[in-house]
Amino acid sequence: MRLLFIPLLAVLLAALPGAATAAADISAADLYQPCAACHGADAGGNAGLQAPRLNHLRPVYILAQLDKFQRGLRGAGGATAAAQQMAASVSMLPPPERWPDLAGYISELASGPSTATLAGGDAAMGGDYFNQFCGACHGPAAGGNVALNAPALAGADDWYLAAQLQAFRSGQRGQHREDRTGRQMRNMARVLPGEQAILDVIAFIRSQPE
Ligand code: HEC
Ligand code: HEC
């Protein structure tokens, strides 16, 4: 027994670290490959697929959202079709210990600003709304605030900002009991008086440097 056991153990011990190294050897660029199909190779987004730009986001926010999608706090039943599609894509994620590498890689990618798809927003009006209702959390120039979990908005696609504000307002995002930061933002999105105010505030955000 003992003679059989020891070599077997030795083989196992030799194999285990090898396997772990192989997993860790996959580059962050390779981890991102399946995501690129929707979000683009430079993470600049794809409006046709409703997949937003990601490279303006900080890793800490990317990690928080991936965790929400995986746990069903975002993108579960009642969410928009786009959010449900992202929730279904979490199966493409590497093991959690590699998520920081993946998020770091995404935030290092660069792309030009996305094309404007919305017209009719008044950036000056939007600036007033933003200072009054948004800047305290997202920063005066929409650069985000890590301590408050508020993401950067400058650099985001205009269509995505509009879709998220609508989703928060209708309760399709930020409705889960455990989604504390989502619920916080849902309440704030409802403060904007209407469609024109949404266009205005987005025009202001888009006027800010990334
Ligand atoms: C099938 C297309 C598809 C694939 C593949 C996909 N995504 Fe997404 N992703 C989306 C869509 C659509 C959204 C927008 C969800 C919404 O509107 O709420 C999104 C949203 C996100 C967000 C939230 C962005 C924000 O500003 O809150 C992150 C982060 C993200 N995806 C990361 C990833 C990563 C990392 C991968 C690869 C493991 C990936 N996605 C694969 C379609 C996809
Ligand atoms: C009390 C703090 C707070 C205020 C005020 C606030 N937000 Fe937010 N906002 C957040 C947080 C936190 C999140 C991240 C939610 C999450 O984790 O899902 C967020 C997310 C968002 C998103 C989604 C970004 C993305 O990448 O998916 C948009 C768009 C947004 N806020 C716009 C606004 C606008 C416009 C206003 C003003 C009307 C505003 N916020 C006011 C805290 C705030």
Side-chain angles (χ1 to χ4, degrees):
M1 267 320 273
R2 180 168 284 196
L3 277 177
L4 187 72
F5 178 70
I6 291 171
L8 185 65
L9 188 69
V11 167
L12 279 176
L13 285 176
L16 277 176
T21 316
D25 271 353
I26 300 171
S27 73
D30 284 339
L31 298 178
Y32 180 68
Q33 275 308 312
C35 321
C38 289
H39 292 283
D42 58 3
N46 184 327
L49 298 174
Q50 292 178 284
R53 181 179 186 180
L54 301 175
N55 63 27
H56 64 293
L57 298 169
R58 289 187 181 83
V60 64
Y61 173 78
I62 295 174
L63 291 173
Q65 297 307 309
L66 292 178
D67 182 61
K68 286 187 193 200
F69 281 116
Q70 188 168 66
R71 290 167 61 206
L73 271 56
R74 184 177 170 188
T80 61
Q84 294 196 34
Q85 197 163 32
M86 178 55 213
S89 303
V90 294
S91 60
M92 299 171 177
L93 282 167
E97 62 268 22
R98 295 301 312 277
W99 288 14
D101 293 340
L102 175 59
Y105 175 80
I106 292 171
S107 66
E108 297 283 309
L109 291 171
S111 61
S114 48
T115 332
T117 64
L118 301 176
D122 178 341
M125 255 324 259
D128 288 346
Y129 288 128
F130 196 89
N131 289 333
Q132 203 179 340
F133 301 129
C134 322
C137 290
H138 289 282
N145 184 325
V146 172
L148 299 175
N149 308 300
L153 303 175
D157 309 290
D158 61 0
W159 57 265
Y160 177 75
L161 292 169
Q164 296 309 304
L165 287 172
Q166 301 289 5
F168 280 122
R169 282 159 77 91
S170 66
Q172 289 177 293
R173 181 173 171 187
Q175 87 280 32
H176 196 287
R177 205 162 29 88
E178 289 169 46
D179 184 6
R180 192 181 51 82
T181 50
R183 292 169 76 98
Q184 204 174 24
M185 182 51 220
R186 184 188 62 178
N187 294 332
M188 289 317 301
R190 290 180 176 162
V191 165
L192 289 172
E195 300 296 318
Q196 186 59 47
I198 292 179
L199 287 176
D200 293 346
V201 91
I202 291 172
F204 170 77
I205 292 168
R206 297 271 298 181
S207 73
Q208 298 304 297
E210 191 181 328

